Amino acid sequence: MNSLIPEASGRPGDDPIFSINAEANRRRAAGESVINASLGALMGDDGLLATMPVMFEALAAVDPRRAAAYAPIAGPPPFLDAVRRDALGDGPLFDRSVAVATPGGTGALFTAIVNFLEPGQALYVPHFYWAPYATLASHTGRAVETFPMFDAAGGIDVDAFERGLVLLLQRQGRALVILNFPCNNPTGYSLDDGEWRQMAAALERASAHGPVAVLADLAYAHFAEERYRWARALAPLSDRVTLLAAWTASKAFAQYGARVGSLVAVPKQPSERAAIENALTYSCRGTWSNCNHLGMLAITSVLVDPALRARADAERDALVTLLGARVVAFNTEARSLGLHYPRYEGGFFVSVFTPDPAHTVAECAREGVFVVPLDGAVRVALCSTPTADVPRLVAALGRGVAAAEAVAR
């Protein structure tokens, strides 16, 4: 007799992306020339993980006795203040906000899901979304509902977003909307000012049908041209809609392994502040208890010390420039081949549309190029692709898409 509960018995043991990454690494170790555009970590053009030296100096400078001690359950107050300001900028949203520490952005998403949705309800995301959203939803007894992300002109489909949100509110009485912009994973798409204003208007109208919480997943915000567009657009709704932000040091400070993150919340009314703060802290205690104290102390020093902050900004700017060169190269090569993909101005990923993602992935893998299948597209991790390899990558994608189109015909 199986000791696992039935729900847990058939779960996969590994994330599909990590399985693709493992196959790419196996073939590279066997001597094959491989382009691994599957894993979402920023690599230098030398193929090694890109890092920010200031972070390691900050980590080394922390008093070992402080680092070894338990952190406060909600997180050290100086860390939370620094993160709230980094996520929201200065202004009224910062003044009203609360926050808790989480193990990376994934922990922030988990905390939002269990506090702003009841079991059995669905979170609301675009059709193209980061796959672990579904894992988090399933694992917490929730579900995922999507709306078509793009309209016929290739922009965000605001009408579809609003229609679906109103129907969801009518069915379940509340909604948690997750918007992974700027630099959406997996498409690389960022909303412009006009699109954010349209989304804000749709959210305001929909909020008449029930409580709405909107979570901005800011995983890639520091790699965008403008990272506070969402806050400016949604701030006028903050007395109608609960605003949340999932903040993480993984990409912004190239500290994937530190697992330092935060869920920031802007309550609609001052009377909600204590209840939301208590609820989020309760979730921390009931899951991971407290977070990586060393990492939070180091991140705090980099965020609040002017000299360290300036160095971090300069080092990150170099990484943004590195990635930006790949974005330019991709756009140049992909347009020349007529590939169909969303507007791509920056970010770790871009998605190329194809009628048969599995066939496209298989054709690319035959050439030693590894990408990730989606529903209607393949995800390409330019973050892990050296600039010199972009032409080969795009050429393989072109042949893979063409092969899929031939099969579809």
Side-chain angles (χ1 to χ4, degrees), residues 28-64:
R28 177 179 285 131
E32 187 174 343
S33 175
V34 163
I35 296 177
N36 184 2
S38 67
L39 199 59
L42 183 57
M43 314 294 283
D45 279 342
D46 58 2
L48 301 177
L49 186 69
T51 60
M52 295 170 57
V54 67
M55 278 307 309
F56 294 94
E57 293 182 27
L59 288 163
V62 174
D63 182 338

Short mmCIF file of all heavy atoms in Angstrom, two decimals, residues 28-64:
data_model
loop_
_atom_site.label_atom_id
_atom_site.label_comp_id
_atom_site.label_asym_id
_atom_site.label_seq_id
_atom_site.Cartn_x
_atom_site.Cartn_y
_atom_site.Cartn_z
N ARG A 28 26.71 18.34 -23.90
CA ARG A 28 27.92 19.18 -23.90
C ARG A 28 29.09 18.42 -23.28
O ARG A 28 30.22 18.47 -23.79
CB ARG A 28 27.66 20.47 -23.14
CG ARG A 28 28.90 21.37 -23.05
CD ARG A 28 28.59 22.66 -22.30
NE ARG A 28 27.83 23.58 -23.11
CZ ARG A 28 26.73 24.21 -22.71
NH1 ARG A 28 26.25 23.98 -21.49
NH2 ARG A 28 26.12 25.06 -23.50
N ALA A 29 28.83 17.71 -22.19
CA ALA A 29 29.90 16.95 -21.53
C ALA A 29 30.44 15.85 -22.43
O ALA A 29 31.61 15.44 -22.31
CB ALA A 29 29.39 16.36 -20.22
N ALA A 30 29.60 15.38 -23.36
CA ALA A 30 30.03 14.33 -24.30
C ALA A 30 30.81 14.90 -25.48
O ALA A 30 31.22 14.16 -26.37
CB ALA A 30 28.81 13.56 -24.80
N GLY A 31 31.01 16.22 -25.47
CA GLY A 31 31.83 16.84 -26.50
C GLY A 31 31.08 17.54 -27.61
O GLY A 31 31.68 18.09 -28.54
N GLU A 32 29.75 17.58 -27.51
CA GLU A 32 28.94 18.21 -28.56
C GLU A 32 28.91 19.73 -28.37
O GLU A 32 28.94 20.24 -27.25
CB GLU A 32 27.52 17.65 -28.51
CG GLU A 32 26.64 18.11 -29.65
CD GLU A 32 25.29 17.40 -29.63
OE1 GLU A 32 25.17 16.36 -28.95
OE2 GLU A 32 24.36 17.91 -30.29
N SER A 33 28.84 20.45 -29.49
CA SER A 33 28.67 21.90 -29.45
C SER A 33 27.19 22.20 -29.19
O SER A 33 26.34 21.90 -30.03
CB SER A 33 29.11 22.54 -30.77
OG SER A 33 28.83 23.92 -30.76
N VAL A 34 26.90 22.77 -28.04
CA VAL A 34 25.53 22.94 -27.57
C VAL A 34 25.23 24.40 -27.28
O VAL A 34 26.09 25.13 -26.77
CB VAL A 34 25.31 22.09 -26.29
CG1 VAL A 34 24.07 22.53 -25.54
CG2 VAL A 34 25.21 20.61 -26.65
N ILE A 35 24.03 24.83 -27.64
CA ILE A 35 23.49 26.12 -27.18
C ILE A 35 22.35 25.80 -26.24
O ILE A 35 21.31 25.27 -26.64
CB ILE A 35 22.99 26.99 -28.35
CG1 ILE A 35 24.16 27.38 -29.27
CG2 ILE A 35 22.31 28.26 -27.81
CD1 ILE A 35 23.72 28.18 -30.48
N ASN A 36 22.53 26.12 -24.96
CA ASN A 36 21.52 25.80 -23.95
C ASN A 36 20.72 27.06 -23.64
O ASN A 36 21.08 27.86 -22.78
CB ASN A 36 22.20 25.26 -22.69
CG ASN A 36 21.17 24.82 -21.65
OD1 ASN A 36 19.97 24.89 -21.88
ND2 ASN A 36 21.65 24.38 -20.50
N ALA A 37 19.62 27.23 -24.35
CA ALA A 37 18.75 28.39 -24.16
C ALA A 37 17.50 27.97 -23.38
O ALA A 37 16.38 28.33 -23.74
CB ALA A 37 18.38 29.00 -25.50
N SER A 38 17.72 27.18 -22.32
CA SER A 38 16.59 26.67 -21.55
C SER A 38 16.50 27.25 -20.15
O SER A 38 15.39 27.46 -19.64
CB SER A 38 16.66 25.14 -21.45
OG SER A 38 17.77 24.73 -20.66
N LEU A 39 17.60 27.53 -19.49
CA LEU A 39 17.59 27.85 -18.07
C LEU A 39 17.65 29.36 -17.84
O LEU A 39 18.42 30.07 -18.50
CB LEU A 39 18.75 27.16 -17.37
CG LEU A 39 18.66 27.02 -15.85
CD1 LEU A 39 17.41 26.22 -15.45
CD2 LEU A 39 19.90 26.34 -15.30
N GLY A 40 16.86 29.85 -16.89
CA GLY A 40 16.73 31.28 -16.66
C GLY A 40 17.74 31.86 -15.70
O GLY A 40 17.36 32.43 -14.66
N ALA A 41 19.00 31.77 -16.02
CA ALA A 41 20.06 32.42 -15.24
C ALA A 41 20.95 33.17 -16.22
O ALA A 41 21.25 32.67 -17.31
CB ALA A 41 20.87 31.40 -14.46
N LEU A 42 21.38 34.36 -15.87
CA LEU A 42 22.17 35.19 -16.77
C LEU A 42 23.62 34.70 -16.78
O LEU A 42 24.30 34.71 -15.75
CB LEU A 42 22.11 36.65 -16.34
CG LEU A 42 22.85 37.65 -17.23
CD1 LEU A 42 22.34 37.58 -18.67
CD2 LEU A 42 22.70 39.07 -16.69
N MET A 43 24.05 34.28 -17.96
CA MET A 43 25.42 33.81 -18.15
C MET A 43 26.21 34.85 -18.94
O MET A 43 25.67 35.54 -19.81
CB MET A 43 25.42 32.49 -18.92
CG MET A 43 24.41 31.47 -18.42
SD MET A 43 24.77 30.85 -16.75
CE MET A 43 26.10 29.70 -17.13
N GLY A 44 27.50 34.95 -18.64
CA GLY A 44 28.36 35.82 -19.42
C GLY A 44 28.62 35.22 -20.79
O GLY A 44 28.30 34.06 -21.06
N ASP A 45 29.23 36.00 -21.66
CA ASP A 45 29.56 35.48 -22.98
C ASP A 45 30.65 34.42 -22.91
O ASP A 45 30.92 33.73 -23.91
CB ASP A 45 30.00 36.63 -23.91
CG ASP A 45 28.80 37.38 -24.48
OD1 ASP A 45 27.68 36.83 -24.45
OD2 ASP A 45 28.98 38.52 -24.95
N ASP A 46 31.27 34.26 -21.74
CA ASP A 46 32.24 33.18 -21.54
C ASP A 46 31.56 31.88 -21.11
O ASP A 46 32.22 30.86 -20.88
CB ASP A 46 33.30 33.58 -20.51
CG ASP A 46 32.70 33.95 -19.15
OD1 ASP A 46 31.45 33.86 -18.97
OD2 ASP A 46 33.47 34.35 -18.25
N GLY A 47 30.24 31.91 -20.98
CA GLY A 47 29.49 30.72 -20.59
C GLY A 47 29.42 30.49 -19.10
O GLY A 47 28.84 29.49 -18.65
N LEU A 48 29.97 31.38 -18.31
CA LEU A 48 29.95 31.25 -16.85
C LEU A 48 28.88 32.14 -16.26
O LEU A 48 28.50 33.16 -16.84
CB LEU A 48 31.32 31.61 -16.27
CG LEU A 48 32.51 30.78 -16.76
CD1 LEU A 48 33.81 31.30 -16.16
CD2 LEU A 48 32.30 29.30 -16.42
N LEU A 49 28.37 31.75 -15.09
CA LEU A 49 27.32 32.51 -14.43
C LEU A 49 27.78 33.94 -14.17
O LEU A 49 28.86 34.17 -13.61
CB LEU A 49 26.94 31.83 -13.11
CG LEU A 49 25.75 32.43 -12.37
CD1 LEU A 49 24.45 32.18 -13.14
CD2 LEU A 49 25.65 31.85 -10.96
N ALA A 50 26.94 34.90 -14.56
CA ALA A 50 27.26 36.31 -14.31
C ALA A 50 26.95 36.65 -12.86
O ALA A 50 25.90 36.28 -12.33
CB ALA A 50 26.45 37.20 -15.25
N THR A 51 27.86 37.36 -12.22
CA THR A 51 27.68 37.72 -10.82
C THR A 51 27.96 39.21 -10.63
O THR A 51 28.46 39.89 -11.53
CB THR A 51 28.64 36.92 -9.91
OG1 THR A 51 29.99 37.20 -10.28
CG2 THR A 51 28.37 35.42 -10.02
N MET A 52 27.63 39.71 -9.44
CA MET A 52 27.89 41.09 -9.07
C MET A 52 28.87 41.08 -7.89
O MET A 52 28.48 40.73 -6.77
CB MET A 52 26.59 41.80 -8.71
CG MET A 52 25.65 41.94 -9.90
SD MET A 52 23.97 42.53 -9.49
CE MET A 52 24.33 44.09 -8.67
N PRO A 53 30.13 41.44 -8.11
CA PRO A 53 31.14 41.34 -7.04
C PRO A 53 30.77 42.08 -5.76
O PRO A 53 31.12 41.62 -4.66
CB PRO A 53 32.39 41.96 -7.69
CG PRO A 53 32.20 41.71 -9.16
CD PRO A 53 30.73 41.83 -9.39
N VAL A 54 30.04 43.19 -5.86
CA VAL A 54 29.69 43.94 -4.65
C VAL A 54 28.88 43.07 -3.69
O VAL A 54 28.99 43.23 -2.47
CB VAL A 54 28.92 45.22 -5.02
CG1 VAL A 54 27.54 44.91 -5.60
CG2 VAL A 54 28.78 46.14 -3.81
N MET A 55 28.12 42.14 -4.21
CA MET A 55 27.31 41.31 -3.34
C MET A 55 28.17 40.40 -2.47
O MET A 55 27.87 40.19 -1.29
CB MET A 55 26.33 40.46 -4.15
CG MET A 55 25.07 41.19 -4.56
SD MET A 55 24.20 41.96 -3.17
CE MET A 55 24.09 40.61 -2.02
N PHE A 56 29.23 39.89 -3.02
CA PHE A 56 30.08 38.98 -2.24
C PHE A 56 30.88 39.75 -1.19
O PHE A 56 31.14 39.22 -0.10
CB PHE A 56 30.97 38.18 -3.18
CG PHE A 56 30.17 37.25 -4.05
CD1 PHE A 56 29.77 37.63 -5.31
CD2 PHE A 56 29.76 36.01 -3.58
CE1 PHE A 56 29.00 36.81 -6.09
CE2 PHE A 56 28.98 35.18 -4.35
CZ PHE A 56 28.60 35.57 -5.61
N GLU A 57 31.22 40.98 -1.49
CA GLU A 57 31.85 41.81 -0.47
C GLU A 57 30.86 42.11 0.66
O GLU A 57 31.22 42.09 1.85
CB GLU A 57 32.35 43.11 -1.10
CG GLU A 57 33.51 42.91 -2.08
CD GLU A 57 34.01 44.23 -2.64
OE1 GLU A 57 33.85 45.26 -1.95
OE2 GLU A 57 34.53 44.22 -3.77
N ALA A 58 29.64 42.39 0.30
CA ALA A 58 28.61 42.67 1.31
C ALA A 58 28.33 41.44 2.16
O ALA A 58 28.16 41.53 3.38
CB ALA A 58 27.34 43.17 0.64
N LEU A 59 28.28 40.28 1.54
CA LEU A 59 28.06 39.04 2.29
C LEU A 59 29.22 38.78 3.26
O LEU A 59 29.01 38.40 4.41
CB LEU A 59 27.92 37.87 1.33
CG LEU A 59 26.62 37.81 0.52
CD1 LEU A 59 26.77 36.88 -0.67
CD2 LEU A 59 25.46 37.36 1.41
N ALA A 60 30.44 39.00 2.78
CA ALA A 60 31.62 38.75 3.63
C ALA A 60 31.71 39.73 4.78
O ALA A 60 32.33 39.42 5.81
CB ALA A 60 32.88 38.81 2.78
N ALA A 61 31.12 40.91 4.62
CA ALA A 61 31.23 41.94 5.65
C ALA A 61 30.23 41.76 6.79
O ALA A 61 30.33 42.44 7.81
CB ALA A 61 31.02 43.32 5.01
N VAL A 62 29.28 40.86 6.66
CA VAL A 62 28.28 40.67 7.71
C VAL A 62 28.91 39.98 8.92
O VAL A 62 29.65 38.99 8.76
CB VAL A 62 27.09 39.86 7.18
CG1 VAL A 62 26.11 39.53 8.30
CG2 VAL A 62 26.37 40.61 6.06
N ASP A 63 28.61 40.48 10.09
CA ASP A 63 29.08 39.86 11.33
C ASP A 63 28.57 38.42 11.39
O ASP A 63 27.36 38.18 11.33
CB ASP A 63 28.54 40.66 12.51
CG ASP A 63 29.02 40.14 13.88
OD1 ASP A 63 29.41 38.95 13.97
OD2 ASP A 63 28.98 40.91 14.86
N PRO A 64 29.47 37.43 11.53
CA PRO A 64 29.02 36.03 11.55
C PRO A 64 27.97 35.73 12.61
O PRO A 64 27.08 34.90 12.40
CB PRO A 64 30.31 35.24 11.81
CG PRO A 64 31.41 36.13 11.30
CD PRO A 64 30.94 37.53 11.59
#
